[in-house]
Amino acid sequence: KHFTDEELKARDALLKPGEEAQWCLFDPMVSCFYGKLYQKTRKAEYLKLQQLFLSRSLAAITGDDCEFGPWFCCEAYYMVGDKWQPNDDTPLVWTQIDLAMALLEMKNSMSSSVMKRPAAAMKRPASAMS
């Protein structure tokens, strides 16, 4: 349905700051973006942002109290009374694959971090050999 300007204004009048729908499919995409930046530049701030957006993605997975079941990726959460609820597009395959890609990019970031460390940092001290 296409909404008229008046219908949109009436809907928007009900909106309270901080209660906008929270979309779940974008955080894993942003995590991937920062992961690629980190892998290319090795800048710690990009790794921190990659971790932040991956953490947000994981926190959005449904819990045991979800009407659709636990361990699902949903499209969005919206406010019902004083509680955030996943919308009816749960589980959403698009969010699932985005999260899978975010996990892969974090694995790549961690793997490249270990591989790029100076050789001296990789050596075990002689005392650890005994």
Side-chain angles (χ1 to χ4, degrees), residues 2 7 10 26 83 90 97 112 123 126:
H2 293 280
E7 289 172 318
F26 299 110
K83 187 175 180 189
T90 301
I97 197 60
S112 62
K123 291 183 180 178

Side-chain angles (χ1 to χ4, degrees), residues 1-124:
K1 174 183 177 180
H2 293 280
F3 294 97
T4 66
D5 287 344
E6 292 305 314
E7 289 172 318
L8 290 174
K9 287 178 186 174
R11 181 203 63 188
D12 290 349
L14 302 173
L15 188 62
K16 297 176 186 170
E19 293 186 2
E20 300 90 351
Q22 301 298 305
W23 298 91
C24 301
L25 62 161
F26 299 110
D27 283 334
M29 288 183 201
V30 176
S31 178
C32 289
F33 171 76
Y34 282 116
K36 289 292 191 184
L37 285 176
Y38 171 72
Q39 293 159 28
K40 184 176 181 177
T41 67
R42 317 308 300 159
K43 291 184 178 180
E45 63 263 25
Y46 293 143
L47 180 60
K48 286 183 180 184
L49 288 166
Q50 181 185 12
Q51 293 168 332
L52 170 70
F53 285 96
L54 178 59
S55 296
R56 287 174 49 102
S57 303
L58 294 170
I61 294 173
T62 61
D64 292 334
D65 60 342
C66 175
E67 66 181 289
F68 305 109
W71 298 105
F72 285 132
C73 295
C74 54
E75 178 185 39
Y77 281 89
Y78 66 101
M79 188 66 79
V80 177
D82 63 348
K83 187 175 180 189
W84 290 99
Q85 297 283 352
N87 70 354
D88 292 343
D89 293 321
T90 301
L92 186 69
V93 176
W94 187 2
T95 306
Q96 290 172 351
I97 197 60
D98 286 347
L99 179 56
M101 292 301 301
L103 291 167
L104 174 67
E105 290 305 331
M106 182 56 73
K107 179 181 176 185
N108 291 342
S109 290
M110 295 296 91
S111 296
S112 62
S113 292
V114 171
M115 292 171 34
K116 299 281 183 180
R117 288 173 48 195
M122 303 278 287
K123 291 183 180 178
R124 294 175 65 188

